[in-house]
Amino acid sequence: MVLVMPQARLSAEEFEALAQQPQYADARLEFIAGEVYEVPSNNLASHVAANILIEIGLYLKQNPIGWLTGADGGYRVGTDRYIPDLAYNSYARQAAIPDQGGYNPVPPDLVVEVIPDVDNRKEADMLRLKLSSYLAQGTTVWVIVPQERRVEVHAPGRNSLALSEQDTLDGGAVLPGFRVAVK
């Protein structure tokens, strides 16, 4: 993550206006705790997220209970604005896919965040802030760490769970019956 405006804290409304400016038309911007970050492209993160998107997409074809967005889908989560690698919204939470631009005002049921560089301290700090916000809004978070071949499952009101490549990732209450090998 790259800090876009050092030493400038914004309100959510100021961020929304900034994100609409032409110079940021192709930027993937997140608003975390009053600061604006650009989410850089990463091929490994994109590859891993695409594989999970395929698996969940196939599940949703058989179980039409919601819809997915990839790394271009932005969401309002509390006062922050996030662009997860993958997000799922149930029809119960949001019946229709919004067709307006900007950040979806309904936080997702599930997000997947792929962390390709576990040694990046800033990324780790931002992830902790995001996890806290997601959980407060009732969102389950799967954190995938490809370097360590591990998945962390964070669900509201539950202890986090760490899965290794020998384990199976379960959709729990969010995606009932969904199962995929971590490896």
Side-chain angles (χ1 to χ4, degrees):
M1 267 186 193
V2 178
L3 185 61
V4 174
M5 302 174 64
Q7 301 172 355
R9 293 185 88 63
L10 302 176
S11 68
E13 294 76 21
E14 290 169 327
F15 167 76
E16 296 268 351
L18 175 83
Q20 299 300 318
Q21 293 179 7
Q23 68 265 34
Y24 297 112
D26 295 326
R28 295 178 56 233
L29 299 179
E30 289 191 325
F31 181 66
I32 304 170
E35 296 181 318
V36 180
Y37 295 88
E38 184 170 6
V39 180
S41 175
N42 182 290
N43 286 328
L44 176 60
S46 180
H47 171 74
V48 171
N51 282 326
I52 297 295
L53 185 128
I54 290 166
E55 295 291 337
I56 296 174
L58 291 171
Y59 165 86
L60 290 174
K61 276 185 116 47
Q62 298 298 315
N63 304 278
I65 59 172
W67 48 273
L68 294 171
T69 57
D72 290 327
Y75 293 86
R76 293 180 192 168
V77 179
T79 58
D80 290 348
R81 308 294 185 263
Y82 303 147
I83 301 176
D85 293 305
L86 168 87
Y88 160 76
N89 277 62
S90 66
Y91 291 134
R93 192 168 198 162
Q94 189 173 32
I97 301 169
D99 61 0
Q100 85 282 359
Y103 295 78
N104 185 344
V106 179
D109 292 88
L110 168 73
V111 298
V112 175
E113 294 280 0
V114 180
I115 309 301
D117 183 3
V118 293
D119 296 326
N120 184 326
R121 193 78 196 133
K122 188 69 170 175
E123 289 272 338
D125 290 344
M126 293 298 101
L127 178 61
R128 273 196 291 285
L129 287 171
K130 290 167 74 172
L131 271 173
S132 184
S133 294
Y134 278 132
L135 292 171
Q137 295 296 314
T139 300
T140 296
V141 182
W142 294 349
V143 177
I144 301 177
V145 187
Q147 288 178 328
E148 297 177 2
R149 304 181 70 78
R150 136 179 95 82
V151 176
E152 298 172 7
V153 177
H154 302 269
R158 297 180 54 203
N159 291 331
S160 62
L161 176 66
L163 303 173
S164 71
E165 65 183 319
Q166 288 82 30
D167 295 319
T168 299
L169 178 60
D170 178 307
V174 177
L175 297 172
F178 175 82
R179 296 175 57 79
V180 65
V182 171
K183 67 179 176 179

